[in-house]
Structure formats: C-alpha cells, structure tokens
DNA sequence: ACCCAATGCCTGAAAATTAGGCATTGGGTG
DNA sequence: CACCCAATGCCTAATTTTCAGGCATTGGGT
C-alpha cells in the first residue's frame, strides 16, 4: 500500500509550517487542511514531534538510498541542502523550535552514513588503525554537521554552494595528510 | 473524506498519458505506477474511459466553481486553456484518441455554463425573446467550443492568447448588435 | 487458429478511516 | 488567582477502503 493519507498529513504539515511556526499549528489544523478525521492523525502519528521525526527520517532515507551514486561526501551534503531548500521556511521553523534536536538527529544520521560510505571508498587499499579511523570519521561528520548547522543558524542566507565547494577542497587536503600520517605510524 | 487514492490513480494516469498514448496504457500500468492493488482501480472506476470522464468532469467542476469571479466569457475560456496546458500532452493524447467525445462533452459543459452566467449578467435589464436568447447562447457556446477545438486540432501550437483576445473583441461587437436588433423587434 | 495478456468481476479477509465520547492539560482571560 | 476552553491523547465500535486470489471472457499479435 502507498499510504497516501500519511503522505497527505505530512504535506499539510509542511504546508502549514511554511505559513507559521509550530507553536501555532494544532493537530486539528493539520487534519482540517487535508480533510480527514482527527483520529486518523493519531492512527499514523503519536504527536506532532513524532510527525516531524517521521518526515526527517523519510528525508534521510531518501538521501541515503541515493548516496551510493554520489561521488563525494560533498555531494551528499548538497542533497541535504537541496532537501532543506525545497521546504525552506518549514525547516527553519523546525530548527528554531523546541524540536531542533529532531532535525539535528537527522543531520547526524545522514552525515554519519555518508562518511561511512565515503571513507570505505577513499581508504580502500590503505590500512588505518581502528583508532585513527574513528577520528577521521568524527572529523568528517562534525564538518558536515557543522556546515549545515551554521547555514541554518543564518537562516540559509549564506551562498552555501560556494562555501561548500571550498570546504570540500580543504577537506580533501586534510584527508590526504591524515591518511599519510596514519599510515606511516 | 479526501480520496487520496482516487486522486493518485488520476495523477498516475495523467503522468503515463504524457509519456505514451492511451492505447499503450493498461489498468495494470496505472496501479503499478501508484503502487496499489488492481482491484482498487475497479473500486473507483468502471474502466479507463470512465476514468477520463471523471478527470475532465472534475476539471469542469473546478472551472465552473471559480467562474462567478470571472469578468467575461473569455476569462472562462482562459481557464480551460490553462487547465489543458497544465497537462498538455495528456490532453492531446485524449483528444487524438477514441475518447475525443469525452473531452468534447467536457468542453461543451464548461462553455454552456459560462455562457449561461455571462449572458445573465450582460442581458440584465434587457428584455430578449426566448427564441433570440437561445440563438445567442448557441452562438456563444459554439464560438467557445470552436476556438478550443481548433487549438487542439493544431496540437495547441497557435498563439492562443492573442487569438482569444481578438475573438473576444469581435464577440463583444457582435453581441452588442444582436442585443440591439433583438430589442427593437 | 492459437496464445497470452488484459479485462471486468466476484468473494472474503484485512486494513484504514470514521463518529462520538472521555479525562487531562495548559495557556489566556477576567 | 481561579476559571474556562481549546487542544490533547486515547478508547470503542461501526463503516469504508484496500487487499489477495481466483475465474470466465475478450481481442490483438504471432
């Protein structure tokens, strides 16, 4: 089954979220907007935070699913940015609410996965100590998380593409050096 | 209830119809595209022609519902053209198929209704004989139907906006004269 | 002339949606 | 401060929608 109703609830919520902050959106508003019974909301979602969680987890799943086709970790970050931009105001309202932690959970999840895949490619053939590998992962995922967080903090006003391109260049250099150091140890 | 599944079936059909003609689209294709059971299609629609009929009738209802806000009969025709353009290839595939009659039924329906409303405004205060009123209605609805038919026949390649503007000017002159003649009789 | 996919329909089971009601909560108003 | 009312989260039972599986018929293509 395709769960059109569930998708409609999510869409209505995002729609309302582009109009006003979460604090001014009730369950009744959502079900009224998509023309269903209030109970149907609770059939699919425990409450509004869970609804947010579902939405970002579906976004994460969509990005992760297409990640194997990405060439670089930066491409994955771009997918995150595109997803955020496609519902800009809604994302900002989530980020600037008591539910920021939900969005950050999503960010970490995508970044962690992307790095896992990316490093497994880049480090193919190199033998790195477990400890050093962990540090690399932490470095890269923190970089990704930080970039997006900073962008959100400024209400997505940065020229994020340019920033991203330069940061990815820096990242490549850093990584090359890290691999070099770790291997000679 | 909002019948999201029904809407999804219609959307999938329109989508497939932009890719290939009706003769190459099966019920199975449709239900596969929107990820539902084949029986669910038959729950909502008798067959594909009925599906087409439902879609155009919903389009007609949407146009008719907003028509009271239109200023002129030409505005209503514009709504028809916009609706057609929003799914151009699909409409052409319907028009150039054995189901052209369904689309024409929709056209007549919208034109007839628009004229009814339009004339009731324009002729307010004039007293016109029943017979002459019928002729005016036939004249105007034929004009509308003919314009759109001609446009479809040419695969929507005409600069229809310009044509429409000039035709509506001519129409206004004709109508003024008709009213004048009918009243002096 | 044959075949096979598509059609239209049927049944019964499962899932989703609804109506209506209940106790609790918390923010805003008098 | 007390009050109120809208919103919440939950419940039950009825209804509607969707599904799985099967069956006879049809019609276009090989």
């Amino acid at each position: 089954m395709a769960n059109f109703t569930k998708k409609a609830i999510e869409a209505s919520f995002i729609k309302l979220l582009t109009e006003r902050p979460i604090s001014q959106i009730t369950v009744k508003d959502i079900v009224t907007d998509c023309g269903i019974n209030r109970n149907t909301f609770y059939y699919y979602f425990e409450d509004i935070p869970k609804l947010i969680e579902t939405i970002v987890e579906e976004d994460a799943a969509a990005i992760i699913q297409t990640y194997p086709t990405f060439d670089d970790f930066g491409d994955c970050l771009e997918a995150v940015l595109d997803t955020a931009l496609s519902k800009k105001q809604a994302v900002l309202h989530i980020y600037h609410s008591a539910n920021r932690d939900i969005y950050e959970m999503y960010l970490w999840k995508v970044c962690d996965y992307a790095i896992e895949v990316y490093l497994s490619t880049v480090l193919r053939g190199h033998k790195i100590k477990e400890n050093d590998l962990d540090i690399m992962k932490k470095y890269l995922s923190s970089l990704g998380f930080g970039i997006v967080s900073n962008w959100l903090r400024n209400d997505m006003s940065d020229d994020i593409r340019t920033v991203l391109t330069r940061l990815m260049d820096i990242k490549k250099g850093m990584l090359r050096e890290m691999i070099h150091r770790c291997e000679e140890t």
Side-chain angles (χ1 to χ4, degrees), chain A:
Chain A
M1 200 228 328
N3 266 340
F4 297 112
T5 301
K6 191 181 178 191
K7 292 293 172 199
I9 293 171
E10 297 172 12
S12 283
F13 181 57
I14 292 295
K15 176 187 155 198
L16 296 175
L17 215 39
T18 65
E19 299 167 0
R20 52 183 190 270
I22 294 180
S23 56
Q24 294 173 33
I25 298 174
T26 69
V27 171
K28 192 180 180 187
D29 291 337
I30 298 171
V31 298
T32 299
D33 183 81
C34 61
I36 59 168
N37 191 282
R38 198 168 65 90
N39 286 331
T40 306
F41 176 91
Y42 290 104
Y43 180 79
Y44 286 110
F45 307 100
E46 200 174 297
D47 49 24
I48 287 183
K50 279 284 179 189
L51 167 58
I52 298 174
E53 204 175 309
T54 304
I55 291 172
V56 297
E57 271 180 356
E58 283 171 357
D59 283 348
I63 292 173
I64 285 172
Q65 199 175 6
T66 53
Y67 183 65
T69 68
F70 295 154
D71 285 336
D72 189 6
F73 171 46
D75 294 338
C76 180
L77 273 192
E78 277 214 43
V80 173
L81 303 177
D82 286 340
T83 304
L85 279 172
S86 71
K87 39 191 169 187
K88 179 172 172 174
Q89 202 48 242
V91 167
L92 288 178
H93 275 145
I94 291 172
Y95 191 74
H96 293 124
S97 79
N99 303 280
R100 173 178 299 179
D101 57 331
I102 298 177
Y103 197 82
E104 292 183 338
M105 185 196 60
Y106 148 77
L107 265 189
W108 282 120
K109 184 171 186 170
V110 176
C111 288
D112 284 347
Y113 180 83
I115 274 124
E116 201 70 41
V117 176
Y118 176 59
L119 279 188
S120 76
T121 306
V122 169
L123 299 184
R124 198 182 308 284
H126 301 271
K127 44 185 190 304
I128 309 285
K129 275 188 289 183
E130 186 82 19
N131 246 9
D132 292 335
L133 184 60
D134 275 356
I135 290 172
M136 285 189 195
K137 285 181 183 174
K138 284 202 178 68
Y139 164 72
L140 281 179
S141 59
S142 300
L143 179 64
F145 180 84
I147 290 170
V148 181
S149 292
N150 192 50
W151 183 57
L152 292 170
R153 183 169 64 99
N154 296 323
D155 289 341
M156 304 184 184
S157 59
D158 301 351
D159 176 7
I160 190 69
R161 307 290 170 188
T162 307
V163 175
L164 192 60
T165 305
R166 299 205 40 200
L167 279 169
M168 284 306 114
D169 279 344
I170 296 170
K171 178 216 68 178
K172 267 185 191 134
M174 296 278 284
L175 199 59
R176 243 196 315 273
E177 179 164 346
M178 283 181 84
I179 293 174
H180 181 66
R181 281 168 180 249
C182 293
E183 277 197 321
E184 72 181 359
T185 324

